[in-house]
Amino acid sequence: MNRRALLASLMTAAAGASAARAAESAPPRAVMLPGKAGPLNLITDVPGLKVGQAEDAKARTGVTVILPDEAAVAAVDVRGGGPGTRETDALDVENLAHVAHAICLSGGSVYGLAAADGVCAWLGAQGRGFGMGALPPGAPPSPIVPAAILFDIPNGGDKNWGLEPPYRRLGLEAVQATGTMFKLGTAGAGYGARSGGLKGGLGSASAVSADGMTVGAIVAVNSAGSVLAPGTRQFWAAPLEIGREFGGLGVDRLAALPDEWGPAKADPQARQNTTIACIATDVRLEPGEIKRVAIMAQDGLARAIRPIHAPFDGDVVFALSTGKREAAEPRAFTVARIGALAADVLARAVARGVYEATTWPGSPTKAWRDLPADANP
């Protein structure tokens, strides 16, 4: 071996030894372990949240209220081309409040926005809300109750309510019934819902990360698009399913050709649409951060419904932070993790809403469970 080769060999050996010593002394890399569903697999797995629901079977409609124990930092992301909302501007990061005392999801099209009136009245009577300056004796504070509605008017229910739509009453009944357990499927804001030619419904799901962050979703699925791959009973959200929470049918037939929607495309004149949802986490986030979570969560609708966010949809996703645990550093990475969890949890909640739905008595609308195993819905 000549002198130059010997020196090169010695330098390579020294470099290798130095790298080995550095690896031994360096702190171990964090391992990102997967999470799991929460104990209830509902949005109420998020500490500091309750949910209440009320329905009017005659009118085939209903209301769902998400109630934090105290005002929660909140945001909203609107993607549908035909939204119906209330007090969403109050959540903008540049505005004064950017918190919510409750979130209201309702059927009933524009009439359903009145459900938030009943929720506000109840909250004010409880002394919950903003009091700007000194209030006169007996005057209630002003709660912020952002709301969104879906279009369930033509589902066959009796909407001949004249000057007395039922939604204020339903909102009041729903907020008075809040707790940690609630029904999925044909319930609450999803009572009158339809989805891609099938019975829609109210869905919820949750996830807990390995390091203890909790994220939950609740959604009323009244979509023009289908939650199923064309010609199958398999949910587009199947790759994200935990256990058999929506049937455990797997992913082997998840495919669609361009412009192939299945029954969602059967009636080009249909305008009976809109999917409305709320995401929540127990991690303490700032207004801009929870807004990013709401934006990222919308991907969950795209993973579960095809198509989504159409001109005649009113798709809306709210997001809440109950602030029960601090955000880990680096914060931006934590926000990204929460947003990714939110999208997956929302996709699962969509599938659960349709999977759990049952059709109304005497209605020709089929529910998912009514489909034969080999049927083309």
Side-chain angles (χ1 to χ4, degrees):
M1 180 182 293
N2 61 34
R3 183 170 179 270
R4 180 177 294 178
L6 177 61
L7 287 174
S9 177
L10 292 173
M11 290 176 66
T12 300
S18 176
R21 288 193 297 271
E24 290 173 359
S25 61
R29 291 186 179 181
V31 178
M32 293 291 291
L33 298 174
K36 59 183 179 180
L40 300 176
N41 201 16
L42 300 172
I43 194 174
T44 46
D45 284 323
V46 175
L49 277 189
K50 296 182 177 65
V51 168
Q53 305 194 110
E55 300 89 28
D56 185 323
K58 181 180 178 182
R60 288 187 183 172
T61 193
V63 171
T64 297
V65 174
I66 301 95
L67 182 68
D69 292 344
E70 53 192 34
V73 177
V76 64
D77 188 68
V78 180
R79 297 285 176 93
T85 58
R86 164 180 168 149
E87 284 206 294
T88 51
D89 286 348
L91 305 183
D92 287 346
V93 67
E94 70 272 16
N95 290 337
L96 177 65
H98 45 71
V99 299
H101 296 90
I103 299 290
C104 189
L105 309 178
S106 178
S109 186
V110 65
Y111 302 99
L113 292 174
D117 292 345
V119 179
C120 282
W122 184 87
L123 286 166
Q126 304 293 315
R128 299 173 64 172
F130 283 109
M132 304 299 288
L135 293 172
S142 299
I144 295 179
V145 183
I149 49 88
L150 55 80
F151 190 73
D152 60 2
I153 299 293
N155 62 10
D158 182 3
K159 308 301 193 299
N160 187 25
W161 50 55
L163 297 179
E164 297 291 336
Y167 294 100
R168 186 187 185 281
R169 169 180 60 83
L170 290 172
L172 182 58
E173 291 176 2
V175 75
Q176 290 174 323
T178 52
T180 56
M181 297 297 296
F182 56 93
K183 183 183 175 184
L184 302 184
T186 305
Y191 187 90
R194 291 185 284 195
S195 173
L198 293 175
K199 179 69 182 72
L202 192 285
S204 188
S206 70
V208 181
S209 68
D211 53 350
M213 299 186 299
T214 303
V215 177
I218 189 168
V219 58
V221 187
N222 189 62
S223 56
S226 177
V227 301
L228 307 178
T232 81
R233 301 171 76 241
Q234 290 179 288
F235 291 92
W236 285 119
L240 304 171
E241 186 175 15
I242 296 178
R244 297 179 59 86
E245 61 186 344
F246 41 89
L249 298 183
V251 301
D252 62 304
R253 296 177 64 193
L254 295 188
L257 295 172
D259 205 30
E260 183 187 20
W261 301 0
K265 199 177 175 184
D267 183 4
Q269 302 304 314
R271 299 291 185 270
Q272 305 163 16
N273 317 125
T274 291
T275 298
I276 48 180
C278 182
I279 291 290
T281 180
D282 59 345
V283 178
R284 187 184 303 278
L285 297 179
E286 298 299 320
E289 294 170 330
I290 195 66
K291 172 69 173 182
R292 178 53 53 185
V293 170
I295 292 169
M296 294 180 69
Q298 287 275 11
D299 291 345
L301 297 184
R303 292 170 191 168
I305 303 170
R306 183 176 180 273
I308 193 69
H309 306 146
F312 38 82
D313 290 327
D315 307 320
V316 175
V317 174
F318 294 103
L320 297 174
S321 164
T322 62
K324 300 299 183 181
R325 61 183 288 129
E326 295 301 322
E329 296 292 345
R331 290 187 67 92
F333 184 61
T334 296
V335 171
R337 290 181 60 203
I338 294 170
L341 282 168
D344 289 351
V345 168
L346 181 51
R348 292 166 46 216
V350 166
R352 293 192 80 197
V354 177
Y355 174 73
E356 296 287 350
T358 55
T359 196
W360 313 287
S363 170
T365 300
K366 289 184 178 180
W368 178 89
R369 63 184 60 198
D370 299 325
L371 298 175
D374 58 350
N376 183 335

